[in-house]
Amino acid sequence: IVAGYGDEAALTELAEKSDLLTYEFENVYQDVLARVQKRTGVLVPQGVKLLTVTSNRINEKNFLRTHGLPTTDFAKVASPAELKVAVKELGFPAILKTVSGGYDGHGQWDINSEQDVKNMLEKWPKNLLAILEKRVDFVKEISVMVSRDNCDQVKLWPITENR
């Protein structure tokens, strides 16, 4: 089955052919998944609640901070006026990202100067909900995968460096 993440008919077809559904990508449409799960009864061991955190960069940053984990400084940006305010608060360099749906550089704009701000304001995407993040110099990026089975056994996979 080849379809977009929000294709409810295709997800229903997949659910009807499956014993369970899992996801490893935060850009799954939680509302569609919840409806399909309810309608078909397919098991979704991860549930959909996790997606409310991982699919929204603002929710994710607030979740991390609530649990004592550091994040870069950030500001919600829903309009050109809010971008101007956020840039004044955070300064340069920064990166503007869509709150949801973007990945691996998609839905991201470097904001390193007043000229970048001006360029962004001139081509402001319709209905953009974004987050401005203070850019952080880092040595490396790593990924950590953790899984838990139905018996609450937790497995930590090897830490990997992203290149």
Side-chain angles (χ1 to χ4, degrees):
I1 300 169
V2 179
Y5 296 116
D7 188 326
E8 193 163 337
L11 187 57
T12 299
E13 181 184 351
L14 179 63
E16 290 171 345
K17 294 179 177 185
S18 304
D19 293 324
L20 62 90
L21 298 177
T22 64
Y23 53 87
E24 59 85 35
F25 188 63
E26 67 274 8
N27 289 334
V28 175
Y29 289 72
Q30 63 198 47
D31 55 337
V32 173
L33 181 57
R35 283 194 303 272
V36 169
Q37 180 185 22
K38 184 176 182 179
R39 187 171 52 253
T40 66
V42 70
L43 178 63
V44 181
Q46 295 158 280
V48 296
K49 186 177 179 183
L50 178 64
L51 289 171
T52 64
V53 174
T54 61
S55 67
N56 180 297
R57 288 186 171 98
I58 294 170
N59 291 349
E60 189 173 50
K61 293 243 183 315
N62 286 327
F63 176 88
L64 292 170
R65 285 185 171 181
T66 298
H67 290 84
L69 298 167
T71 72
T72 189
D73 291 335
F74 67 94
K76 177 183 169 187
V77 176
S79 69
E82 288 183 5
L83 176 61
K84 291 177 186 178
V85 171
V87 166
K88 284 182 182 175
E89 290 176 2
L90 299 179
F92 300 117
I95 185 163
L96 185 68
K97 300 178 180 181
T98 56
V99 167
S100 62
Y103 62 93
D104 295 340
H106 300 272
Q108 298 183 4
W109 300 269
D110 288 321
I111 306 293
N112 299 317
S113 68
E114 289 297 337
Q115 185 61 48
D116 289 339
V117 173
K118 182 180 180 214
N119 292 344
M120 190 68 212
L121 296 175
E122 289 173 358
K123 61 177 182 171
W124 191 261
K126 185 178 180 183
N127 301 319
L128 176 64
L129 178 57
I131 181 172
L132 185 69
E133 298 177 351
K134 181 75 175 162
R135 189 174 290 278
V136 175
D137 287 328
F138 57 90
V139 175
K140 68 175 83 175
E141 178 184 15
I142 62 170
S143 290
V144 178
M145 294 294 296
V146 180
S147 64
R148 180 174 54 209
D149 65 20
N150 288 339
C151 298
D152 273 347
Q153 298 297 310
V154 175
K155 178 167 182 167
L156 176 65
W157 298 90
I159 296 171
T160 58
E161 181 179 352
N162 303 323
R163 296 182 185 204

